[in-house]
Amino acid sequence: MIKIKNKKIFIITTIFLYLIVTLPAIFDTNHVMKNLEPYPDGILFSLSARNLSLGQGLSLITNWGEVPFWVPPLYSWYLAIFYFISSNVTSFYFANLLLGLGTIFNIYLSIKKTTKNLIPLIIGLSTYFSHLVIFWLPSLAMTENLSLFLFSLLILGLIEVKNKQKVLLIVLSSLGLLLVRLSVFPIILVAFLLAIFQLRDKLSKYLKQIIFSSLIIIFVSFYLSKIEISKTIISTISNSIFDPIFFSIDFIYDNFINYFNLLFFHKGQFLWMQVGVTSWPILGLFLYSVYLLDKLKKIKKSRLLITLFLSLFPLQIIFYIVDARYLIYIIILVSISGAWLVNEVKNKKIIIVFFIAIILNIFLQKNLLKQLIADNW
């Protein structure tokens, strides 16, 4: 009972800390969120959602004509709920804060269900918080806010797939991710393979659910392909895929170098900010956790971590733009892996190593830290 109580106090404290850092931004009249940056994404998602809340559809109407909505619509649908409540252009900030809190809670549940005490929770969420971009993200009307939440939900479903509810969670979060950004298709494919592998001895039991889920996805895909917005999206994607300007094997070498720097040295770009995805201390511990979990026969955990990690690269390595936000899901993976590693290695030294790694990770983002302090406080 004490352990359960401590865990509840911890998650409440964690949520409180997140809000202390993020909420003050709403009171800053000069905050960057009011510029609806980055362009054109910020304008596209926020104003299309605002238009939808007014019953005017997702297209943007200007003096020069109508700009069609050309990306998957789920994020704008979600934001429209908040613009229906308030027409203030920065309503998206509260929508993003809820998604941020939901992501934290999903990570908390994922760790809580797979570890034995409070220490792994502290390590996991401290690792997550050490990636400062999560505090900056709510100020951007960007799909990463929703896709991070759905990815954390997907992982929660993939941990011990034992019942119909978990299968449904995997299907819904996968469908949600596809309706946010289609570039996550490799992630979805890997997730379904992981789920099928876990259910291989129960496939006959869950055959009806699998067939039903597949039919739902096919039906939704067919329906979306028939509406005008989807025709625009499909046209945009097909033009991008078959145009070597956007996807080409010629980008592989340069992208490999750039993503190496993003992952090991926090060097690169997240939109206009000079910051990467993570750093060598955190990534090194992630790789060690995968190795150790595999060695300890925790195959489900090690396979989940490494396959989802690798699934992020096939499309991005041949894409013409390198940006840390395309690999943002790694932040969740390294956070959960840290908790699992501490749970298996019952040694105070590994805890000390983790806190040193967390401090180094924050230090390598010192410019972003200064920016957060300037913007939010």
Side-chain angles (χ1 to χ4, degrees), residues 129-159:
F129 276 14
S130 74
H131 295 82
L132 303 179
V133 73
I134 67 163
F135 298 107
W136 182 57
L137 204 56
S139 64
L140 308 173
M142 298 289 289
T143 58
E144 282 73 19
N145 290 282
L146 181 53
S147 57
L148 262 183
F149 169 75
L150 291 169
F151 184 74
S152 66
L153 206 60
L154 178 63
I155 290 180
L156 186 59
L158 286 170
I159 293 173

Side-chain angles (χ1 to χ4, degrees), residues 111-329:
I111 296 172
K112 179 176 174 286
K113 290 176 180 295
T114 52
T115 58
K116 298 176 182 178
N117 55 58
L118 190 60
I119 299 299
L121 276 171
I122 294 173
I123 294 295
L125 285 171
S126 295
T127 302
Y128 186 66
F129 276 14
S130 74
H131 295 82
L132 303 179
V133 73
I134 67 163
F135 298 107
W136 182 57
L137 204 56
S139 64
L140 308 173
M142 298 289 289
T143 58
E144 282 73 19
N145 290 282
L146 181 53
S147 57
L148 262 183
F149 169 75
L150 291 169
F151 184 74
S152 66
L153 206 60
L154 178 63
I155 290 180
L156 186 59
L158 286 170
I159 293 173
E160 295 296 326
V161 186
K162 291 181 177 179
N163 51 47
K164 296 177 183 178
Q165 288 77 17
K166 284 293 187 77
V167 173
L168 183 62
L169 189 59
I170 292 168
V171 171
L172 291 178
S173 56
S174 298
L175 187 59
L177 279 168
L178 284 172
L179 288 172
V180 174
R181 53 192 317 156
L182 295 172
S183 61
V184 299
F185 178 75
I187 300 175
I188 306 308
L189 180 61
V190 166
F192 271 85
L193 290 175
L194 286 169
I196 290 170
F197 183 81
Q198 288 196 46
L199 293 170
R200 63 190 185 281
D201 297 328
K202 304 176 184 178
L203 278 179
S204 57
K205 180 181 177 181
Y206 288 100
L207 189 59
K208 290 181 181 178
Q209 285 76 30
I210 293 170
I211 293 173
F212 183 68
S213 301
S214 301
L215 288 174
I216 289 176
I217 292 174
I218 292 170
F219 174 78
V220 171
S221 301
F222 179 77
Y223 170 75
L224 291 174
S225 69
K226 293 299 180 182
I227 60 178
E228 193 62 36
I229 183 176
S230 294
K231 291 178 181 177
T232 305
I233 294 168
I234 292 168
S235 174
T236 303
I237 292 168
S238 60
N239 290 338
S240 299
I241 290 174
F242 295 109
D243 190 336
I245 294 175
F246 297 104
F247 289 93
S248 173
I249 59 172
D250 294 335
F251 300 133
I252 291 178
Y253 178 75
D254 288 339
N255 285 0
F256 177 82
I257 299 299
N258 289 325
Y259 278 123
F260 183 86
N261 287 324
L262 283 169
L263 290 170
F264 281 87
F265 303 110
H266 253 306
K267 290 183 178 180
Q269 278 191 294
F270 192 107
L271 295 173
W272 62 86
M273 294 294 293
Q274 296 297 312
V275 66
V277 182
T278 190
S279 58
W280 61 265
I282 299 295
L283 192 65
L285 286 166
F286 167 78
L287 295 173
Y288 177 62
S289 69
V290 172
Y291 163 76
L292 188 67
L293 288 168
D294 189 70
K295 187 177 179 181
L296 294 174
K297 307 301 181 184
K298 308 287 184 178
I299 305 298
K300 289 179 183 178
K301 290 181 178 178
S302 63
R303 186 181 285 116
L304 184 148
L305 291 172
I306 196 63
T307 53
L308 286 177
F309 177 83
L310 293 175
S311 71
L312 300 174
F313 293 97
L315 285 181
Q316 303 312 326
I317 204 72
I318 60 172
F319 193 48
Y320 79 113
I321 292 177
V322 172
D323 196 306
R325 62 196 174 105
Y326 300 144
L327 301 184
I328 196 170
Y329 312 102

